[in-house]
Amino acid sequence: MPTNRDTLHDLFVTGLRNAHAVEKQALSIMTPQIARLDLYPDVADRLRRHVEETEGQIERLDELLASLDTSGSLLKDTALSMTGGMAAMSHSLAGDEILKNSFANFAFEHFEIASYKALLVLAEDGGFAPVMTPLRQTLDEEVSMARWIDEALPAVTRRYAALYAEGGSLHAKV
């Protein structure tokens, strides 16, 4: 276990930059989904709220990085935003887009949860106590979103199956 404060600082800053890029990726995944959720208004509403939370998370990360005399990585932000956009686009071609997006969003939220838990460990071990509160707030928001997706998945799946059985359009009008 690294105990050198400089090492922990470097790892922590890298983790914050990674989290910043992941949050940018999350926006590039969620935003296009919202426009295609006419048939699932409750999912669209929750995604809109989480987009707002994510924008706040990015602001908090910007503040944390600035307090450490650094900023997000433009390269990481751009690369992950592009891959997020491509993932959202690839799901939009599938008839079961809502299910694929639900599965991917569930997995993505858990990736973020693990990332923030690791950042909290680095912050604690590195003596960066002032950053614990905003990181915990973000972790709580990610846990809440993951829980919502988990609880909503049965209803989303049943709605998709009913629409499929009716032979109606499974895609939103774009």
Side-chain angles (χ1 to χ4, degrees):
M1 176 174 116
T3 57
N4 179 311
R5 184 163 162 77
D6 290 337
T7 299
L8 288 172
H9 178 272
D10 292 346
L11 291 172
F12 185 62
V13 167
T14 298
L16 289 174
R17 286 182 174 154
N18 290 342
H20 191 275
V22 166
E23 296 302 350
K24 293 280 191 165
Q25 182 181 23
L27 287 178
S28 71
I29 291 170
M30 290 185 291
T31 304
Q33 287 180 26
I34 293 168
R36 300 181 51 79
L37 288 169
D38 294 351
L39 302 173
Y40 304 88
D42 53 331
V43 176
D45 289 344
R46 186 59 178 101
L47 279 178
R48 277 188 206 92
R49 285 199 323 271
H50 197 54
V51 163
E52 290 175 12
E53 289 173 340
T54 301
E55 290 166 346
Q57 293 165 2
I58 291 169
E59 288 176 23
R60 285 193 294 273
L61 288 165
D62 284 336
E63 291 170 9
L64 292 175
L65 287 163
S67 76
L68 297 167
D69 296 321
T70 191
S71 63
S73 167
L74 181 61
L75 178 62
K76 287 180 184 181
D77 286 356
T78 302
L80 288 182
S81 289
M82 287 176 55
T83 60
M86 289 187 304
M89 187 183 312
S90 70
H91 289 180
S92 71
L93 302 173
D96 60 349
E97 174 185 12
I98 185 65
L99 296 181
K100 283 184 173 50
N101 283 341
S102 296
F103 305 159
N105 291 346
F106 186 76
F108 198 85
E109 291 304 320
H110 283 85
F111 179 86
E112 290 177 303
I113 290 166
S115 297
Y116 284 104
K117 285 182 176 185
L119 279 170
L120 284 163
V121 168
L122 291 172
E124 183 177 356
D125 290 355
F128 309 116
V131 304
M132 300 287 281
T133 299
L135 290 176
R136 280 193 187 109
Q137 180 181 352
T138 297
L139 175 60
D140 290 346
E141 290 167 353
E142 301 299 359
V143 167
S144 176
M145 184 63 183
R147 186 177 307 117
W148 185 89
I149 295 168
D150 185 43
E151 292 169 358
L153 187 57
V156 167
T157 303
R158 288 183 180 111
R159 171 95 172 117
Y160 168 77
L163 289 168
Y164 184 86
E166 291 169 7
S169 174
L170 299 175
H171 291 288
K173 296 173 186 142
V174 289

